[in-house]
Amino acid sequence: MNHPDESAAPALRRLLDLLASGAATEDFAEVLADARRRGASAGVLAEIDDATWQALRVHRTLRQHRRREAELTALFDTAGDLAASRDLDTVLQAIVRRARMLLGTDTAYLTLPDEAAGDTYMRVTDGSVSVLFQTLRLSLGDGLGGLVAQTARPYATPDYRTDERFHHTGTIDAGVLDEGLVAIIGVPLLLGGQVIGVLFAADRSPRAFSPDEVALLCTLAAHAAIALDTAKSLADTRAALAELNTANELVRAHSAAVQRAEQAHDRLTDLVLRGAEVPDVAAAVAHLLDGEITVLDAEGEPLAGRPAPAAELAGAAAASRAEGRSVRHGELWVCAVLAGHDTLGTLVLRGRPDLDDADRRLFERAGVVTALLLLLRRSVAETENRVRGELLTDLLTAPERDPAGLTARGRRLGVDLARPHLVLVAEAADRDDDRGRLAGAARRYLFGSRGVSAEHGEAVVLLVPVAPGDTDDPEHTAESTARHAAERLARLAGFPVTVGAGRRAAGPAALAASYGEGLRCVRALRVLGRAGEGASARALGFLGVLLGDGHDVDGFVGAALGPLLAYDARRGTELVRTLRAYFDCGGSLTRAKDELHVHVNTVVQRLDRVEALLGRDWNQPERSLELQLALRLQLLSGGGDAGGAG
């Protein structure tokens, strides 16, 4: 029998203990089951059930963060291993071991070309149990690795045995079968635009590799290729010291340059490990190279340093991407920031028109480190935006349900709903365009800010915090922000985007109302033939004033067109449609009858009926303006014309 003072507190404390200890998911369900066995009341069971659901959500979020942290730690450990190692075999073994750990695969391996034999061979394997597989030699162009080496692009297959994209040979298939491999991914090790090896990760069961996994492995491969080149340079240096005593001074200078590059790499790695941002890395590289560094994002906007002419540098950035190396552009050096084949930005070096090989490699290493920072930062930002997007959806759906709870929840997620924000409503100008691409463009548009975006209805909604200094002219701020957002989102999404801005607002209820105003602005832009533009209510003139909060649009339309609407509804006529066509055709009866596909006498008869219903002044300038505005608003509100004979 339940006691009167029974509560769910012990169960809630147990749930917190499970969260703190990192318990398995199944353990959380046991709390509710235990309460049932003890005969808890229905109210207590409901409270425990709700708390268990919330705890599982927190548990999933913590698990995602732990996974991201594990990936980041593994990459940083790899950077430390590669920077500290001097032995080529040790470097290669570290590459393969980290690749296997990063992707959590059954095995990983690395092939290198044998220029003398004209084929490639297994240099290092990790997790392999087949001697036949470990001694495989692959002819150029054969298998998945041959395709990667030929095209210098990553390839992945969920089931190699049935994948017809690759040239299968009996030798390769026998080795893969003996090892039991099914899912395989291979990425190229690129140096100076040349493939110097292929890094693989493979599972013994079917598996689809995600784009994030491909990008992470490509980043590791790029990092590894430079470190492999450094190890090769050290080996060549040792051989030169043994064979050429006369070149002692040259070798010493080369060794010093390599050591300086390694020390610089260690410094960059240390910055990343300490949580530095892109401007910190740019400042460190500028100091090491005794020059000035600018970092541009994928759209040419500066992330660090002073702005650079992105349009003028586009050709050099494309050449750097194609060659896999930095290129000279006049007095500047340009290096594409890449994660696999995804361009994340561009590094620009000023003040060093001439770079020796060591400094050039240091500049390129800075590009790899910057790519790693941007990739991880983007991944974290996307995760945070998904969580914040749920907050925004709840805010727009039911702001009045729990405004204090929404505000507190936003504060926990780093979104202060009490401070002024602008609500932007964005739609593809062509409704057939992909809303998912627009949502991705919105996330990139807000990247690095405290803004939030989410898909809602047929649109994508952006919550943009207002800068403290933007207080002089709120309407101008909304208008300029909407225009800029439409232009930038169009570039990011690859198709025209229409953006409506609601008035500046703070607090759940006001923000929800601002969303409604922004949505009406988007619809107004479509009706006015201005799809693909951005505007606020003020930018739409008197139409925008009517669209703002507190204005009775339906009442205005009813007052202006009420007699015609009632007559059309009663008689099945088309007086409203005829009046709209007459105004749209500039008052020309001939053009209006062509637009309506009726005889000119029919148009005259209908306009006579309009005059009888609205009064003889219906075509006077002031009354005409009111009627035309009402007709526009009726279209905007979704009202249609009654069809019939008139």
Side-chain angles (χ1 to χ4, degrees):
M1 179 176 295
N2 297 331
H3 296 288
D5 58 348
E6 177 190 14
S7 73
L12 300 184
R13 286 194 294 271
R14 185 175 171 190
L15 287 173
L16 289 174
D17 290 339
L18 290 174
L19 278 176
S21 63
T25 304
E26 295 78 6
D27 296 339
F28 289 83
E30 183 60 28
V31 176
L32 181 60
D34 186 51
R36 286 197 180 99
R37 287 193 295 269
R38 289 187 291 102
S41 65
V44 170
L45 289 176
E47 185 176 357
I48 295 174
D49 184 49
D50 182 63
T52 301
W53 183 80
Q54 295 293 345
L56 286 172
R57 286 189 61 191
V58 175
H59 184 267
R60 284 195 298 271
T61 302
L62 290 173
R63 186 170 56 193
Q64 289 173 352
H65 282 297
R66 290 191 191 101
R67 179 171 61 83
R68 293 293 183 190
E69 185 178 359
E71 290 177 350
L72 182 59
T73 301
L75 285 174
F76 290 160
D77 288 345
T78 299
D81 288 347
L82 297 177
S85 180
R86 299 293 185 271
D87 181 69
L88 182 58
D89 288 330
T90 303
V91 171
L92 297 180
Q93 189 62 52
I95 295 169
V96 174
R97 184 174 61 253
R98 296 298 184 191
R100 182 184 177 196
M101 182 182 67
L102 276 173
L103 270 69
T105 54
D106 295 324
T107 183
Y109 49 98
L110 184 145
T111 62
L112 294 180
D114 187 338
E115 296 180 0
D119 61 6
T120 61
Y121 65 101
M122 292 282 187
R123 179 60 187 271
V124 179
T125 64
D126 189 74
S128 172
V129 296
S130 168
V131 176
L132 177 61
F133 182 76
Q134 295 166 11
T135 56
L136 269 181
R137 297 189 73 91
L138 292 75
S139 299
L140 296 178
D142 289 342
L144 184 149
L147 190 58
V148 172
Q150 274 190 334
T151 61
R153 296 173 61 88
Y155 279 89
T157 175
D159 192 340
Y160 178 84
R161 301 164 300 181
T162 60
D163 200 327
E164 297 300 326
R165 291 179 298 166
F166 316 113
H167 181 230
H168 290 262
T169 68
T171 303
I172 298 176
D173 288 355
V176 171
L177 180 63
D178 195 53
E179 187 64 46
L181 300 182
V182 177
I184 305 175
I185 178 175
V187 299
L189 272 63
L190 294 171
L191 189 66
Q194 179 182 0
V195 179
I196 63 171
V198 180
L199 179 61
F200 300 84
D203 259 336
R204 295 187 176 93
S205 58
R207 169 181 176 175
F209 294 96
S210 69
D212 283 346
E213 290 174 325
V214 176
L216 283 170
L217 197 59
C218 286
T219 301
L220 175 61
H223 209 159
I226 296 175
L228 190 63
D229 182 58
T230 300
K232 184 177 180 298
S233 297
L234 287 171
D236 292 342
T237 299
R238 294 190 185 99
L241 283 170
E243 298 173 3
L244 303 172
N245 291 330
T246 57
N248 188 46
E249 289 300 323
L250 179 62
V251 171
R252 185 179 294 117
H254 178 71
S255 297
V258 171
Q259 184 178 8
R260 175 172 174 263
E262 290 178 346
Q263 291 171 348
H265 183 68
D266 289 342
R267 181 174 178 183
L268 293 179
T269 301
D270 181 64
L271 278 174
V272 175
L273 286 170
R274 289 191 286 106
E277 294 290 344
V278 172
D280 302 317
V281 173
V285 175
H287 176 73
L288 290 168
L289 294 177
D290 192 24
E292 183 182 349
I293 293 286
T294 294
V295 184
L296 304 176
D297 65 12
E299 285 73 50
E301 298 294 328
L303 297 175
R306 61 176 166 138
E312 298 177 16
L313 298 174
S320 173
R321 174 190 174 118
E323 297 177 18
R325 294 213 68 184
S326 57
V327 298
R328 184 170 176 175
H329 180 74
E331 295 295 305
L332 307 176
W333 283 89
V334 178
C335 181
V337 179
L338 304 174
H341 287 271
D342 187 10
T343 302
L344 303 180
T346 308
L347 290 187
V348 182
L349 173 63
R350 294 184 178 90
R352 288 291 305 275
D354 296 313
L355 282 181
D356 58 27
D357 192 55
D359 282 351
R360 187 177 179 185
R361 288 180 183 174
L362 171 58
F363 183 48
E364 291 162 358
R365 286 188 181 188
V368 173
V369 173
T370 302
L372 176 62
L373 279 178
L374 291 177
L375 186 65
L376 293 173
R377 186 176 164 202
R378 185 172 69 181
S379 179
V380 171
E382 288 177 353
T383 301
E384 291 179 347
N385 192 73
R386 280 195 296 272
V387 178
R388 292 173 179 167
E390 295 175 1
L391 168 70
L392 181 55
T393 300
D394 292 345
L395 171 67
L396 300 180
T397 304
E400 72 287 345
R401 183 181 302 163
D402 184 14
L406 286 172
T407 302
R409 183 172 149 203
R411 194 174 297 112
R412 288 195 299 272
L413 296 174
V415 181
D416 186 1
L417 298 179
R419 67 173 288 188
H421 285 77
L422 286 176
V423 181
L424 306 181
V425 181
E427 290 184 355
D430 182 352
R431 290 177 182 263
D432 292 332
D433 283 324
D434 186 2
R435 189 182 65 169
R437 285 171 57 194
L438 178 56
R443 287 193 295 270
R444 294 170 66 187
Y445 173 74
L446 295 173
F447 184 61
S449 72
R450 303 304 297 177
V452 185
S453 65
E455 298 180 47
H456 190 70
E458 296 182 355
V460 175
V461 182
L462 296 84
L463 193 63
V464 182
V466 177
D470 295 340
T471 56
D472 295 336
D473 188 349
E475 288 298 331
H476 176 72
T477 301
E479 181 180 344
S480 60
T481 302
R483 285 202 309 268
H484 177 266
E487 295 170 0
R488 183 87 187 281
L489 289 172
R491 289 200 305 270
L492 292 170
F495 49 74
V497 177
T498 308
V499 178
R503 66 180 62 192
R504 178 184 302 180
L511 289 170
S514 179
Y515 159 73
E517 184 172 310
L519 185 61
R520 291 192 293 272
C521 281
V522 169
R523 292 173 179 169
L525 288 170
R526 288 186 179 281
V527 171
L528 295 173
R530 293 173 56 184
E533 298 183 21
S536 65
R538 189 179 75 167
L540 299 178
F542 184 49
L543 177 60
V545 173
L546 290 174
L547 289 171
D549 284 340
H551 296 278
D552 185 8
V553 175
D554 291 338
F556 175 80
V557 173
L561 301 176
L564 302 187
L565 293 169
Y567 191 91
D568 281 348
R570 240 180 7 255
R571 305 287 185 93
T573 54
E574 293 185 338
L575 298 184
V576 172
R577 180 167 174 248
T578 301
L579 185 61
R580 181 179 292 115
Y582 175 75
F583 283 134
D584 289 346
C585 294
S588 168
L589 295 174
T590 303
R591 290 170 56 196
K593 64 97 175 174
D594 291 336
E595 177 76 17
L596 296 168
H597 305 292
V598 298
H599 194 275
V600 66
N601 290 339
T602 302
V603 178
V604 173
Q605 291 170 5
R606 291 179 181 177
L607 293 179
D608 287 343
R609 176 60 62 183
V610 168
E611 181 173 314
L613 292 170
L614 298 182
R616 300 183 63 181
D617 65 340
W618 70 272
N619 206 15
Q620 296 301 311
E622 184 174 347
R623 185 76 183 279
S624 171
L625 174 62
E626 181 183 41
L627 290 173
Q628 292 181 61
L629 179 59
L631 288 168
R632 289 281 186 176
L633 287 174
Q634 190 218 14
L635 269 182
L636 180 62
S637 63
D641 301 330

